[in-house]
Amino acid sequence: MPHLSLEAAIAAHPRCQRVAGGLFSHLEHTPSGEQIRIDFRCFNVPGAALLSAFAQQDPTALTKLALALDDHGHPGISLVRLEIAHTPGGALVGAQPVLYTEYTPTPAAPAVILEGDAAAGRWAKALLHLGQTHL
């Protein structure tokens, strides 16, 4: 059975909602009222390495994986990526490994979505580190 994408998993979360705003919509964490930002980081590692770090529930291992960078040291692209979701205040964080299969991004594991104290813990620190240092 295929996994829901990170965005779909957040949209289905009981304390999140999609908010329409003119032509565009966004996801919002209802208790905090904060907009949820979704981004991704590509890695220069085999897909198995990303899946292993993710499956071990060891977020600091994710920060040790080699990022895909271009010739100028800016974020690059690859077939292996981690989708990252967070609110600016850290009320919610989420992540999901995605591998490209036949040119299609395919969620490779269920999304992890954390709120409150869990969101402020080591997952948040690792994911926000990836998001802030490599944007």
Side-chain angles (χ1 to χ4, degrees):
M1 180 172 167
H3 303 291
L4 287 176
S5 70
L6 179 59
E7 184 173 353
I10 291 171
H13 192 279
R15 286 178 296 285
C16 297
Q17 66 179 352
R18 186 168 299 280
V19 177
L23 295 174
F24 302 100
S25 67
H26 66 269
L27 292 168
E28 185 177 280
H29 181 243
T30 309
S32 68
E34 294 180 288
Q35 182 173 342
I36 300 167
R37 299 177 181 169
I38 299 178
D39 199 5
F40 63 90
R41 293 293 167 268
C42 292
F43 292 88
N44 191 20
V45 298
L50 176 61
L51 291 173
S52 175
F54 194 80
Q56 292 173 26
Q57 299 291 305
D58 184 5
T60 55
L62 295 171
T63 64
K64 295 177 184 177
L65 296 176
L67 291 167
L69 302 174
D70 66 14
D71 294 338
H72 303 288
H74 299 115
I77 59 170
S78 76
L79 300 177
V80 178
R81 76 180 193 197
L82 181 70
E83 291 194 348
I84 301 168
H86 66 92
T87 58
L92 178 140
V93 296
Q96 181 177 47
V98 174
L99 306 177
Y100 278 77
T101 306
E102 297 180 11
Y103 305 104
T104 303
T106 306
V112 170
I113 301 169
L114 302 171
E115 296 178 273
D117 292 341
R122 61 189 191 125
W123 270 102
K125 290 175 186 169
L127 296 176
L128 292 176
H129 171 76
L130 280 171
Q132 292 172 353
T133 60
H134 302 291
L135 281 176

